[in-house]
PDB file of all heavy atoms in Angstrom:
ATOM      1  N   VAL A  51     -89.433 170.232 199.496  1.00 98.00           N
ATOM      2  CA  VAL A  51     -88.796 169.091 198.833  1.00 98.00           C
ATOM      3  C   VAL A  51     -89.866 168.084 198.414  1.00 98.00           C
ATOM      4  O   VAL A  51     -89.807 167.516 197.319  1.00 98.00           O
ATOM      5  CB  VAL A  51     -87.749 168.437 199.762  1.00 98.00           C
ATOM      6  CG1 VAL A  51     -87.145 167.202 199.081  1.00 98.00           C
ATOM      7  CG2 VAL A  51     -86.633 169.428 200.107  1.00 98.00           C
ATOM      8  N   GLN A  52     -90.855 167.855 199.276  1.00 97.00           N
ATOM      9  CA  GLN A  52     -91.935 166.929 198.940  1.00 97.00           C
ATOM     10  C   GLN A  52     -92.688 167.367 197.686  1.00 97.00           C
ATOM     11  O   GLN A  52     -93.048 166.547 196.842  1.00 97.00           O
ATOM     12  CB  GLN A  52     -92.910 166.807 200.115  1.00 97.00           C
ATOM     13  CG  GLN A  52     -92.390 165.991 201.279  1.00 97.00           C
ATOM     14  CD  GLN A  52     -93.328 166.025 202.460  1.00 97.00           C
ATOM     15  OE1 GLN A  52     -94.004 167.024 202.707  1.00 97.00           O
ATOM     16  NE2 GLN A  52     -93.386 164.941 203.211  1.00 97.00           N
ATOM     17  N   ARG A  53     -92.937 168.670 197.577  1.00 96.00           N
ATOM     18  CA  ARG A  53     -93.686 169.184 196.421  1.00 96.00           C
ATOM     19  C   ARG A  53     -92.835 169.241 195.164  1.00 96.00           C
ATOM     20  O   ARG A  53     -93.362 169.386 194.058  1.00 96.00           O
ATOM     21  CB  ARG A  53     -94.216 170.593 196.730  1.00 96.00           C
ATOM     22  CG  ARG A  53     -95.291 170.650 197.800  1.00 96.00           C
ATOM     23  CD  ARG A  53     -95.940 172.027 197.824  1.00 96.00           C
ATOM     24  NE  ARG A  53     -94.972 173.090 198.070  1.00 96.00           N
ATOM     25  CZ  ARG A  53     -94.690 173.584 199.267  1.00 96.00           C
ATOM     26  NH1 ARG A  53     -95.310 173.099 200.337  1.00 96.00           N
ATOM     27  NH2 ARG A  53     -93.800 174.547 199.399  1.00 96.00           N
ATOM     28  N   GLY A  54     -91.530 169.177 195.323  1.00 95.00           N
ATOM     29  CA  GLY A  54     -90.649 169.308 194.174  1.00 95.00           C
ATOM     30  C   GLY A  54     -90.325 170.747 193.825  1.00 95.00           C
ATOM     31  O   GLY A  54     -89.742 171.023 192.772  1.00 95.00           O
ATOM     32  N   THR A  55     -90.706 171.683 194.737  1.00 96.00           N
ATOM     33  CA  THR A  55     -90.370 173.091 194.511  1.00 96.00           C
ATOM     34  C   THR A  55     -88.863 173.291 194.492  1.00 96.00           C
ATOM     35  O   THR A  55     -88.334 174.095 193.722  1.00 96.00           O
ATOM     36  CB  THR A  55     -91.003 173.976 195.607  1.00 96.00           C
ATOM     37  OG1 THR A  55     -92.404 173.686 195.681  1.00 96.00           O
ATOM     38  CG2 THR A  55     -90.805 175.443 195.306  1.00 96.00           C
ATOM     39  N   VAL A  56     -88.169 172.582 195.380  1.00 97.00           N
ATOM     40  CA  VAL A  56     -86.709 172.491 195.316  1.00 97.00           C
ATOM     41  C   VAL A  56     -86.366 171.019 195.107  1.00 97.00           C
ATOM     42  O   VAL A  56     -87.069 170.130 195.614  1.00 97.00           O
ATOM     43  CB  VAL A  56     -86.017 173.043 196.582  1.00 97.00           C
ATOM     44  CG1 VAL A  56     -86.262 174.524 196.730  1.00 97.00           C
ATOM     45  CG2 VAL A  56     -86.457 172.300 197.834  1.00 97.00           C
ATOM     46  N   ARG A  57     -85.304 170.776 194.385  1.00 95.00           N
ATOM     47  CA  ARG A  57     -84.975 169.388 194.034  1.00 95.00           C
ATOM     48  C   ARG A  57     -84.417 168.617 195.223  1.00 95.00           C
ATOM     49  O   ARG A  57     -84.706 167.437 195.398  1.00 95.00           O
ATOM     50  CB  ARG A  57     -83.966 169.386 192.884  1.00 95.00           C
ATOM     51  CG  ARG A  57     -83.659 168.006 192.355  1.00 95.00           C
ATOM     52  CD  ARG A  57     -82.886 168.074 191.059  1.00 95.00           C
ATOM     53  NE  ARG A  57     -82.610 166.755 190.528  1.00 95.00           N
ATOM     54  CZ  ARG A  57     -81.981 166.543 189.379  1.00 95.00           C
ATOM     55  NH1 ARG A  57     -81.578 167.565 188.639  1.00 95.00           N
ATOM     56  NH2 ARG A  57     -81.766 165.313 188.951  1.00 95.00           N
ATOM     57  N   HIS A  58     -83.599 169.290 196.011  1.00 98.00           N
ATOM     58  CA  HIS A  58     -82.981 168.667 197.177  1.00 98.00           C
ATOM     59  C   HIS A  58     -83.015 169.627 198.358  1.00 98.00           C
ATOM     60  O   HIS A  58     -83.210 170.830 198.192  1.00 98.00           O
ATOM     61  CB  HIS A  58     -81.519 168.278 196.908  1.00 98.00           C
ATOM     62  CG  HIS A  58     -81.334 167.225 195.875  1.00 98.00           C
ATOM     63  ND1 HIS A  58     -81.094 167.518 194.555  1.00 98.00           N
ATOM     64  CD2 HIS A  58     -81.348 165.871 195.965  1.00 98.00           C
ATOM     65  CE1 HIS A  58     -80.961 166.395 193.865  1.00 98.00           C
ATOM     66  NE2 HIS A  58     -81.114 165.374 194.696  1.00 98.00           N
ATOM     67  N   GLY A  59     -82.780 169.077 199.535  1.00 98.00           N
ATOM     68  CA  GLY A  59     -82.549 169.876 200.721  1.00 98.00           C
ATOM     69  C   GLY A  59     -81.300 169.368 201.415  1.00 98.00           C
ATOM     70  O   GLY A  59     -80.887 168.219 201.213  1.00 98.00           O
ATOM     71  N   LEU A  60     -80.678 170.223 202.219  1.00 98.00           N
ATOM     72  CA  LEU A  60     -79.534 169.799 203.025  1.00 98.00           C
ATOM     73  C   LEU A  60     -79.861 170.114 204.477  1.00 98.00           C
ATOM     74  O   LEU A  60     -80.131 171.269 204.827  1.00 98.00           O
ATOM     75  CB  LEU A  60     -78.252 170.519 202.599  1.00 98.00           C
ATOM     76  CG  LEU A  60     -76.974 169.892 203.179  1.00 98.00           C
ATOM     77  CD1 LEU A  60     -76.628 168.606 202.419  1.00 98.00           C
ATOM     78  CD2 LEU A  60     -75.789 170.858 203.123  1.00 98.00           C
ATOM     79  N   ILE A  61     -79.852 169.085 205.323  1.00 98.00           N
ATOM     80  CA  ILE A  61     -80.230 169.262 206.726  1.00 98.00           C
ATOM     81  C   ILE A  61     -79.109 168.761 207.635  1.00 98.00           C
ATOM     82  O   ILE A  61     -78.503 167.723 207.375  1.00 98.00           O
ATOM     83  CB  ILE A  61     -81.547 168.531 207.051  1.00 98.00           C
ATOM     84  CG1 ILE A  61     -81.446 167.036 206.749  1.00 98.00           C
ATOM     85  CG2 ILE A  61     -82.711 169.153 206.279  1.00 98.00           C
ATOM     86  CD1 ILE A  61     -82.681 166.233 207.172  1.00 98.00           C
ATOM     87  N   PRO A  62     -78.802 169.483 208.718  1.00 97.00           N
ATOM     88  CA  PRO A  62     -77.813 169.009 209.680  1.00 97.00           C
ATOM     89  C   PRO A  62     -78.426 167.913 210.539  1.00 97.00           C
ATOM     90  O   PRO A  62     -79.547 168.046 211.026  1.00 97.00           O
ATOM     91  CB  PRO A  62     -77.498 170.261 210.509  1.00 97.00           C
ATOM     92  CG  PRO A  62     -78.774 171.055 210.450  1.00 97.00           C
ATOM     93  CD  PRO A  62     -79.377 170.791 209.095  1.00 97.00           C
ATOM     94  N   ILE A  63     -77.701 166.821 210.719  1.00 97.00           N
ATOM     95  CA  ILE A  63     -78.274 165.687 211.428  1.00 97.00           C
ATOM     96  C   ILE A  63     -77.501 165.331 212.694  1.00 97.00           C
ATOM     97  O   ILE A  63     -78.055 164.729 213.622  1.00 97.00           O
ATOM     98  CB  ILE A  63     -78.372 164.471 210.479  1.00 97.00           C
ATOM     99  CG1 ILE A  63     -79.519 163.558 210.910  1.00 97.00           C
ATOM    100  CG2 ILE A  63     -77.072 163.720 210.366  1.00 97.00           C
ATOM    101  CD1 ILE A  63     -80.887 164.117 210.702  1.00 97.00           C
ATOM    102  N   GLU A  64     -76.215 165.703 212.767  1.00 96.00           N
ATOM    103  CA  GLU A  64     -75.410 165.329 213.944  1.00 96.00           C
ATOM    104  C   GLU A  64     -74.195 166.223 214.043  1.00 96.00           C
ATOM    105  O   GLU A  64     -73.621 166.623 213.028  1.00 96.00           O
ATOM    106  CB  GLU A  64     -74.985 163.857 213.836  1.00 96.00           C
ATOM    107  CG  GLU A  64     -74.257 163.323 215.046  1.00 96.00           C
ATOM    108  CD  GLU A  64     -73.907 161.847 214.926  1.00 96.00           C
ATOM    109  OE1 GLU A  64     -73.949 161.313 213.797  1.00 96.00           O
ATOM    110  OE2 GLU A  64     -73.588 161.229 215.962  1.00 96.00           O
ATOM    111  N   ASN A  65     -73.803 166.526 215.287  1.00 94.00           N
ATOM    112  CA  ASN A  65     -72.582 167.287 215.539  1.00 94.00           C
ATOM    113  C   ASN A  65     -71.686 166.491 216.468  1.00 94.00           C
ATOM    114  O   ASN A  65     -72.169 165.829 217.392  1.00 94.00           O
ATOM    115  CB  ASN A  65     -72.912 168.651 216.143  1.00 94.00           C
ATOM    116  CG  ASN A  65     -71.673 169.457 216.461  1.00 94.00           C
ATOM    117  OD1 ASN A  65     -71.191 169.438 217.579  1.00 94.00           O
ATOM    118  ND2 ASN A  65     -71.130 170.145 215.472  1.00 94.00           N
ATOM    119  N   SER A  66     -70.383 166.564 216.230  1.00 93.00           N
ATOM    120  CA  SER A  66     -69.440 165.759 217.003  1.00 93.00           C
ATOM    121  C   SER A  66     -69.361 166.179 218.463  1.00 93.00           C
ATOM    122  O   SER A  66     -68.916 165.399 219.313  1.00 93.00           O
ATOM    123  CB  SER A  66     -68.044 165.851 216.375  1.00 93.00           C
ATOM    124  OG  SER A  66     -67.622 167.209 216.307  1.00 93.00           O
ATOM    125  N   LEU A  67     -69.782 167.407 218.796  1.00 89.00           N
ATOM    126  CA  LEU A  67     -69.734 167.875 220.183  1.00 89.00           C
ATOM    127  C   LEU A  67     -71.074 167.750 220.893  1.00 89.00           C
ATOM    128  O   LEU A  67     -71.144 167.297 222.040  1.00 89.00           O
ATOM    129  CB  LEU A  67     -69.266 169.338 220.229  1.00 89.00           C
ATOM    130  CG  LEU A  67     -67.891 169.635 219.642  1.00 89.00           C
ATOM    131  CD1 LEU A  67     -67.574 171.113 219.782  1.00 89.00           C
ATOM    132  CD2 LEU A  67     -66.813 168.788 220.312  1.00 89.00           C
ATOM    133  N   SER A  68     -72.150 168.135 220.229  1.00 90.00           N
ATOM    134  CA  SER A  68     -73.461 168.161 220.884  1.00 90.00           C
ATOM    135  C   SER A  68     -74.337 166.964 220.533  1.00 90.00           C
ATOM    136  O   SER A  68     -75.409 166.794 221.109  1.00 90.00           O
ATOM    137  CB  SER A  68     -74.200 169.455 220.538  1.00 90.00           C
ATOM    138  OG  SER A  68     -74.337 169.609 219.138  1.00 90.00           O
ATOM    139  N   GLY A  69     -73.902 166.120 219.592  1.00 93.00           N
ATOM    140  CA  GLY A  69     -74.637 164.904 219.284  1.00 93.00           C
ATOM    141  C   GLY A  69     -75.701 165.083 218.206  1.00 93.00           C
ATOM    142  O   GLY A  69     -75.685 166.037 217.427  1.00 93.00           O
ATOM    143  N   THR A  70     -76.655 164.155 218.198  1.00 95.00           N
ATOM    144  CA  THR A  70     -77.714 164.136 217.189  1.00 95.00           C
ATOM    145  C   THR A  70     -78.639 165.334 217.354  1.00 95.00           C
ATOM    146  O   THR A  70     -78.999 165.711 218.466  1.00 95.00           O
ATOM    147  CB  THR A  70     -78.538 162.844 217.310  1.00 95.00           C
ATOM    148  OG1 THR A  70     -77.671 161.719 217.140  1.00 95.00           O
ATOM    149  CG2 THR A  70     -79.633 162.789 216.253  1.00 95.00           C
ATOM    150  N   LEU A  71     -79.038 165.923 216.240  1.00 94.00           N
ATOM    151  CA  LEU A  71     -80.062 166.966 216.260  1.00 94.00           C
ATOM    152  C   LEU A  71     -81.418 166.253 216.190  1.00 94.00           C
ATOM    153  O   LEU A  71     -81.971 166.016 215.113  1.00 94.00           O
ATOM    154  CB  LEU A  71     -79.879 167.932 215.081  1.00 94.00           C
ATOM    155  CG  LEU A  71     -78.786 169.002 215.266  1.00 94.00           C
ATOM    156  CD1 LEU A  71     -77.397 168.395 215.091  1.00 94.00           C
ATOM    157  CD2 LEU A  71     -78.988 170.142 214.294  1.00 94.00           C
ATOM    158  N   HIS A  72     -81.919 165.898 217.360  1.00 93.00           N
ATOM    159  CA  HIS A  72     -83.071 165.010 217.438  1.00 93.00           C
ATOM    160  C   HIS A  72     -84.319 165.606 216.795  1.00 93.00           C
ATOM    161  O   HIS A  72     -85.100 164.889 216.153  1.00 93.00           O
ATOM    162  CB  HIS A  72     -83.350 164.650 218.899  1.00 93.00           C
ATOM    163  CG  HIS A  72     -82.284 163.829 219.525  1.00 93.00           C
ATOM    164  ND1 HIS A  72     -81.527 164.265 220.585  1.00 93.00           N
ATOM    165  CD2 HIS A  72     -81.805 162.593 219.218  1.00 93.00           C
ATOM    166  CE1 HIS A  72     -80.660 163.345 220.915  1.00 93.00           C
ATOM    167  NE2 HIS A  72     -80.801 162.316 220.107  1.00 93.00           N
TER     168      HIS A  72
END
Side-chain angles (χ1 to χ4, degrees):
V51 177
Q52 286 174 327
R53 292 192 302 267
T55 307
V56 295
R57 186 169 181 178
H58 295 94
L60 193 76
I61 58 175
I63 208 70
E64 185 177 16
N65 178 265
S66 57
L67 301 181
S68 57
T70 301
L71 280 76
H72 294 116

